[in-house]
Structure formats: C-alpha cells, structure tokens
C-alpha cells in the first residue's frame, strides 16, 4: 500500500492509535504508539524520533537519537489491543544523514535481497521456516547471586500422570511420543487453530498445524513460503500472535530451543529456493531432482554453516539441542531423506516449483532477519564459487563406524564455538555491504559479553548435585 492508502485504511477501520514496531538487535520486537491525531502521510517521510541507546546492542548514550520510518507495505490492524490500532513495521535511520542504520536487522535483510538481484543469479529468494514451540501452563525461574532454579508445568506433561488433578483424566503423551495422536491426548488442537485463524486474518498464509514429538505441548505451525523480507516480517507477527493467543487462554508459549531435559528440542527447519524471471533455479536432473546451482548453494551453506550458526542458532540454549547422537541435525552433510543431515532435500513433490533445500540446523530463537540473510549469503557464495558439496549422506549415521563418522564435519558445539567460527569466516556476509563489519562485531561482542560470559560465570544447579559433597 501507499502512505495515502494506509492513512485511508486507518480512518476507515476506526483506528485510534498507531503502533510503530521495530527489531532490537537480538531479535525482539520493540514498539511505541502515537494517537491518530499525530499520524499522516508525512510520517512515512519524516519518521518518529526515539532513544536508540536504550535498545539492546544499538547506540551509545552520546549518539542516541534515531528515527523510525514506517513501511506502508506492512500495515495491519492489531488483533489483540482493546482499541482499534494500526501496526506498522519500521526501518531505522540516522537522523542526521538519513542513512539506513547498519545494525537494523531489517536493513540487513533489504540489502541481502538487493545483493541477490545485483549478482544476476536470481531476483527472489523464497524462505519457508517450520517454527516449533512449546505451550506450557506454568513457568517459574530465578537467577540470583545466591540461588537459581526453573520449573515448568503442563497439564499435558507425562510427568504429571500421577498428579492429583481432581480428577486426573490421563491422556498425556509419553516422552518422544507426541507426534501426533488426536485429542484428548493432543490437548492444544483448538488453541493452535485459534493461532492459525488469527494469522490468516493478518494475511499470513498457513500450510499446517500439528503437535510435535515432545510431551508437554510441543507444537508446530508452518507458514507458506514467502520472499525473504516478507517472511522475516511474518516471523515476527508469528511469534507475537502465538504468544498472545496463548496468553489470553492462560497458557504461555516459548521458542527456547531446549526447555525440557531428555525430550526433543525445538528447531526451525528453514526451506530456501531461488527464482529468476518466475522460474525456479533449484530444479534439475542432478541428485534428488536438484540443479547444479542448487548443489552449489548446498555447498555454500555447508562450507559456512558453522559461522551461519552464530545467527541461526544464536543462544547458549541452542546447543543443548545441537548435540551429536541425539537425532539432531548436526552433521554438515546433505541428503534427500536423512533427517540427521544439516541439509535435506524434501521429496514430497516432483514439481520443479516445489524443489528447494531445507537447512535443518536453525532454531526459532533466532532473529529471522539476520538468520535468513546469512543463509542466503552462504548459498550465494556457494553458487558464485561453485562450491562442491561432495556426495550425499544417505546412510544411517547412527550405525556408521567411528572412523567414517569422524570424517563428517559437525555444527558448533556451543555458542562460543559458533561466534569463533564467525570471527574467522565472515567475508561472504560482507559482500554487497549486506552485513557491515560494525554489525558483525557488535553481534559477536553482545553475544559474548551478555550471554556466553553470563552463563560461564554462574554456577549451574546440577553442579551442586554433582559436586557439593566433593
């Protein structure tokens, strides 16, 4: 829509407030609201000022002033606020130069799309994430100088099979058996449907919803693939809708990759295809119906996967999921059907338009703008440099002899390892000025000092179990 059309839409819908949303660096939506009396077509040019020093990973205090400039294409009516409210996703500009801000994740995604077109390889990259999540009934946690704990509860959890629930009606999925029985074992069919219908009202196309493997409400809702920036925007709406639908039904949703011990973690398998002139570039007569271009793209993703993980698996908790030997996609290889390989080629359809590659390592704790852009940049580097991905891994990895398994490279074992890989392998991200040195350095610095070191410094409750009597 144009600015004029957005203003007309706001008036026709009886909008009373306009909510301006943008991303902080780690990946959470931030917002502030203005009344309709302060909103008009000029806002799409002038923007609104705010304090950038209070946003995580952004400006220092002596250079705090920033501008948010709404993107009219993103206009939607919020489905949760009490008063009719128009939501606009915003870009961040420097108020003096009016240049896009280097640490604005949305700016990085815009540049990734522009770089794709500039290479002549393709003109659109389609992204399809399969974001998993948990629906819990209660979550309590504390981390202080003298104690720490967390406690999760769910009416669906198998650990409550013996609890007096007045009455306990049973039907709780056993560990690793949540994929996917009908109700009453699946307690959240109606809740997930409410989530889907809310997403559809926002114009977000959904392909499926279902329970996932773990007990205690693990679920998945799949959005239909969309161009890179559109999908990054939609992922933010996705998380927002799921959290708020759960909240108003007295549940809580988390996208933490590994909230439960000894049950399945939460991933976000991410599908990628590149098109040019409305023609898919990944379909061909090579392995699993792929083109040579697609194989080179796989080569690039596998070559740079350890660095990409710094964005696609960006939390210390991410690596509680990415553990070798537990069916996690840690093996940096590709296969048409082997789900422990980092890259899989889905074989559900023979249509060239459906041909894509699936990067299975990412998880939904990521900032989608950064993760999707990094995946695309790795794929483009593979295509440009004709990176050979080697042969496919179609064997049962868990029965491979140790000497053969040792030859298969693996994803990082920790966030610290991923950040170290990013320090060593970042030139592919800087092509076309997509990721600036400033943005990469701040990401490494923020993640190291705010997350890696914070976890390192704190005793873990299980250490008391192991060592208190030593």
């Amino acid at each position: 829509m144009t600015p004029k059309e957005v203003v007309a839409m706001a008036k026709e819908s009886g909008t009373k407030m306009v909510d301006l949303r943008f991303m902080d660096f780690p990946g959470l939506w931030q917002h502030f609201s203005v009344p309709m009396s302060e909103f008009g077509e000029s806002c799409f040019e002038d923007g609104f000022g705010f304090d950038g020093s209070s946003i995580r990973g952004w400006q220092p205090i002596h250079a705090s002033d920033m501008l948010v400039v709404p993107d009219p294409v993103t206009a939607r009516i919020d489905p949760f606020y009490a008063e009719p409210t128009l939501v606009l996703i915003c870009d961040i500009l420097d108020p003096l130069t009016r240049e896009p801000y280097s640490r604005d994740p949305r700016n990085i995604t815009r540049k990734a799309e522009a770089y794709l077109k500039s290479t002549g390889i393709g003109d659109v990259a389609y992204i399809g994430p399969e974001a998993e999540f948990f629906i819990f009934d209660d979550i309590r946690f504390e981390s202080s100088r003298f104690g720490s704990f967390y406690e999760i509860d769910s009416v669906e959890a198998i650990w409550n099979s013996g609890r007096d629930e007045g009455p306990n009606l049973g039907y709780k999925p056993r560990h690793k058996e949540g994929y996917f029985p009908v109700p009453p074992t699946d307690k959240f069919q109606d809740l997930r449907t409410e989530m889907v219908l809310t997403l559809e009202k926002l114009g977000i196309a959904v392909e499926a919803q279902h329970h996932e493997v773990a007990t205690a409400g693990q679920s998945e809702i799949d959005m239909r693939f969309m161009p890179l920036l559109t999908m990054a925007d939609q992922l933010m709406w996705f998380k927002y809708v799921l959290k708020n639908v759960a909240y108003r039904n007295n549940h809580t949703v988390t996208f933490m990759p590994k909230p439960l011990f000894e049950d399945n973690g939460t991933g976000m398998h991410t599908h990628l295809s590149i098109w040019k002139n409305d023609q898919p570039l990944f379909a061909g007569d090579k392995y699993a119906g792929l083109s040579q271009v697609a194989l080179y793209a796989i080569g690039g993703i596998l070559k740079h996967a350890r660095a990409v993980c710094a964005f696609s698996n960006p939390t210390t908790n991410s690596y509680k999921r990415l553990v070798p030997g537990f069916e996690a996609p840690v093996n940096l290889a590709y296969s048409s059907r082997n789900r422990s390989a980092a890259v899989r080629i889905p074989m559900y359809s023979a249509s060239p338009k459906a041909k894509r590659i699936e990067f299975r390592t990412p998880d939904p704790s990521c900032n989608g703008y950064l993760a999707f852009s990094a995946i695309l940049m790795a794929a483009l580097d593979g295509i440009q440099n004709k990176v050979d991905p080697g042969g496919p891994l179609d064997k049962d990895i868990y029965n491979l002899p140790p000497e053969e398994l040792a030859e298969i490279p693996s994803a990082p074992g920790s966030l610290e390892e991923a950040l170290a890989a990013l320090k060593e392998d970042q030139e592919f991200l800087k092509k076309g000025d997509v990721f600036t040195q400033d943005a990469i350095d701040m990401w490494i610095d923020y993640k190291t000092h705010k997350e890696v070191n914070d976890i390192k410094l704190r005793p873990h409750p299980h250490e008391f179990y192991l060592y208190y009597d030593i």
Side-chain angles (χ1 to χ4, degrees), residues 16 26 35 76 215 241 321 355 399 407:
K16 295 183 178 179
R76 288 184 169 102
T215 191
V241 165
R321 167 181 169 257
K355 190 54 64 179
N399 290 322
E407 295 178 2

Side-chain angles (χ1 to χ4, degrees), residues 255-270:
F255 294 94
M256 274 183 69
K258 188 69 173 179
L260 297 185
F261 173 55
E262 290 189 328
D263 211 331
N264 278 43
T266 289
M268 188 177 73
H269 306 151
T270 300

